[in-house]
Amino acid sequence: MTESAHARKIAFAAFVRRALDDARAMRAWSGTEVSRRTGVSRQTINRWVRGDWASDPEAERVVAFCEGLGLNPTTAFAALGWERAATQRAATAPPPMDPDVEALLRRLVDPNVSDAEKFHIRETIRYLAYRPSLPMDVRKRGNRAG
């Protein structure tokens, strides 16, 4: 293995470890929960943490991992030495954000908001983000009944 390939493995492993540590500390997510929310298997995540991979991780899996944790994939791409791909991806403008979501984000970073309140905001967002959607015909029936 070349020295640069080894360095990339170490850098990406450190990135994944930090992401997992943050998920545990900030969201109280286990490794299983991270896997479920990102769609990346625990085995794959564990190989990334150990730097135990023969060929580069698939970009789609790296993106899924990052997006599931609310991280910008550009950082992971840079750790992997994919600066060109990271630059291209960063060039796309983010979608417009709903004003209510912006207000919640501001509360989450506001030092005057209690940790308990931030916890409740995160739990509510998590519940809404991952609850199953009702099929359209069930929603329509509910509107007619009311």
Side-chain angles (χ1 to χ4, degrees), residues 30-101:
S30 64
T32 302
E33 186 66 12
V34 169
S35 178
R36 186 180 76 76
R37 301 226 185 193
T38 63
V40 179
S41 73
R42 286 192 65 178
Q43 294 84 358
T44 297
I45 294 170
N46 288 333
R47 272 191 322 236
W48 289 351
V49 168
R50 291 189 315 266
D52 182 21
W53 33 277
S55 60
D56 281 358
E58 296 174 16
E60 296 79 22
R61 284 191 179 164
V62 174
V63 169
F65 177 78
C66 292
E67 288 179 350
L69 294 174
L71 303 171
N72 187 335
T74 305
T75 309
F77 288 176
L80 286 164
W82 299 348
E83 280 85 7
R84 196 175 83 224
T87 306
Q88 291 170 352
R89 180 145 176 104
T92 60
M97 189 170 301
D98 184 277
D100 293 330
V101 174

Side-chain angles (χ1 to χ4, degrees), residues 126-142:
R126 203 170 291 127
Y127 165 76
L128 293 172
Y130 296 104
R131 72 178 179 170
S133 297
L134 292 174
M136 285 301 284
D137 60 327
V138 173
R139 283 187 241 161
K140 289 178 184 173
R141 272 189 268 142

